[in-house]
Amino acid sequence: MIKIGIRFKFIFFTSLLIATIGLASSWFFSTQTRSQLEEELKKRGYSLIAQLAQDGEVKDSMTVAQKAFFEEPITRLRNLDIERELAYWRVLLTQDNILLEEKEKWIKTEIDKIPVHKNIEGITTPVFNVFTTDNGEQFYNFVVPIHEKRTIAEEEFAAHFFGLEEDSDQNEEKLLGIIQIGLTPERINKKMQVILWTRSIPLGFIIVLVGICVSYFIASGVVKPVKLLVKITDKVASGDLSQKVEINSKDEIGLLASQFNQMTKNLKQLIDEKEGVMDELKNVNRELSLINNELVQKNEQLNEAQEQLVRTEKLAAVGTLASGVSHELRNPLSAIKNAVFLLKRKLSRKAMPDIDGKTIQFLDIMDNEIDRCSKIINDLLGFTRVSKPTRFSSDINVVVNEALSRVVIAKNIKLTKILQPNLPMIMIDANQIDQVLINLVENACQAMVDGGELKISSRVSESFMEIEISDSGCGIPEKEVKKIFDPLFTTKPRGTGIGLAVCHGIMQKHNGAIKVKSQEGIGTKMFIRLPLEDKDAGSV
Ligand SMILES: Nc1ncnc2c1ncn2[C@@H]1O[C@H](COP(=O)(O)OP(=O)(O)OP(=O)(O)O)[C@@H](O)[C@H]1O
Ligand SMILES: [Mg+2]
């Protein structure tokens, strides 16, 4: 949609108003001038006809009906008609005889088309009328009666033509006839045209032009501050509340500007207050979230401590039970072991050549199972007796290689070692860490029954020595990950569930940690971390 500005509207309507006033005043001026000119024409008309009517030669010529006597007065009349407005003249005798009639050559209308006053007898006073002929020519028609004796004075003419005289006793005198003259308003029309083209139109044009200029300046004076206000309002709307309208006039616009400035100031104050409150709220929120984070952290620590406590208590309980049971089982087991040894000697092929092969095989099975039981007992005892580490400065890569050399790794497992060279020496109980690594490598191998890849890497991470053992085995289901460090938790048919519990105990005693990341069906990563600087460890 086209936007029509206030300036355009103002100029348009003001110009329209000025043009209307200009037109009206020029119409009024023209009408006034015309009626003035018409009055003057009328005056000239009656003055001319009065000259004729008062001329004695005219009266004589009418009395004797002699055209020749008329020449002189007519010449005088023509001389008096300086403006050349006399269009026609006519002398009528009482018996309806036209004595003489003439029209000027420049008049187009035929003389017989100019109305003749039929009832001459009825004309007692001068008559005036205006008529327009068929071809559009207009005439101011003057008629005056001529009496035998009486002569109408000039004042009487005027009174008659302007309808001021009331009664007269002219009827008593003998009427000779009438004189009729016609004046053309042609000169007035021309003068009016000249006035129109030389005064009214240029004046109207100048009025409109001046009006447009004046209204343009007035509109600019009004629109300029309004535009400024709009511009500032836009800036304020887009958030810049520092804007101020610089209009100091004492009118309504000035008042609007000062109220607008006040409004912006109030708004700024409100926004500042709101921002202050918002900042405070943000601070409170930040503090709350800090407290919340602390709470979450504390809660996690609490949960861990609780789990630790449960594990420790469980370990202690299992340890007590295990040491008791192991102690009680050791003696009977060694007695059985001795008995089996003796039986094996007595039933050997040397002593009894025809002994059944199956008997010796059974004795071997018994012997092996007794050994397995002893191992379990030893493990249990070892687990319960994880002693305080005896630390020596050690090269962790050497410990890793040592542990790997003590584990039988199946041929279908590919071993990859990524050991960072020149690692710093670290204060550890190499035997215990060896035990941890063996347990972890064994678990990894046991998870890859169908083969896979075993990766061992060592590195320094932050202030820790980190060893990662990863396998591409079966992985640990999510719900079991939390339980794997619990003593006696096992998913293996011949497992004891002690290995990782022992590892956890050892790492704790070294102020280190053991962590797991596993994905079922993809593999497991075990991380052990040992502090490079340990307050309990002494110097390297
Ligand atoms: N690398 C691994 N991949 C898959 N499962 C693992 C892995 N390591 C540990 N586990 C799971 O954790 C359980 C506990 O392991 P842990 O070493 O404590 O006992 P175990 O291996 O079952 O028996 P043992 O006492 O002979 O070591 C395992 O039974 C096994 O389910
Ligand atoms: Mg194990």
Side-chain angles (χ1 to χ4, degrees), residues 307-416:
E307 274 173 23
Q308 190 69 43
L309 197 71
V310 170
R311 195 176 289 133
T312 314
E313 275 176 9
K314 221 168 162 182
L315 274 175
V318 172
T320 316
L321 181 76
S323 74
V325 174
S326 310
H327 189 75
E328 291 302 318
L329 283 178
R330 255 186 166 176
N331 291 338
L333 264 179
S334 49
I336 298 168
K337 174 100 181 159
N338 284 341
V340 171
F341 176 74
L342 288 172
L343 268 174
K344 269 174 120 179
R345 262 180 62 183
K346 282 217 168 169
L347 298 175
S348 69
R349 287 206 186 271
K350 251 189 189 172
M352 294 181 73
D354 51 345
I355 185 86
D356 181 12
K358 282 253 178 199
T359 311
I360 293 172
Q361 205 182 334
F362 287 145
L363 281 171
D364 283 342
I365 289 171
M366 283 169 75
D367 203 20
N368 284 342
E369 290 305 306
I370 290 164
D371 284 346
R372 198 170 117 73
C373 288
S374 299
K375 187 186 171 287
I376 292 170
I377 288 164
N378 284 341
D379 279 354
L380 274 172
L381 282 173
F383 155 66
T384 49
R385 290 192 207 124
V386 174
S387 50
K388 196 173 172 238
T390 315
R391 302 183 191 236
F392 290 100
S393 169
S394 316
D395 181 345
I396 198 77
N397 286 344
V398 173
V399 181
V400 170
N401 282 324
E402 179 73 30
L404 282 174
S405 69
R406 288 170 61 190
V407 183
V408 181
I409 296 170
K411 283 204 175 104
N412 57 359
I413 293 172
K414 187 192 165 204
L415 171 68
T416 313

Side-chain angles (χ1 to χ4, degrees), residues 122-127 143-145 147 152 160 165-168 170:
I123 300 172
T124 53
T125 54
V127 174
V143 176
V144 69
H147 295 96
I152 301 170
H160 279 301
E165 199 198 55
E166 286 169 7
D167 282 321
S168 86
Q170 291 156 13

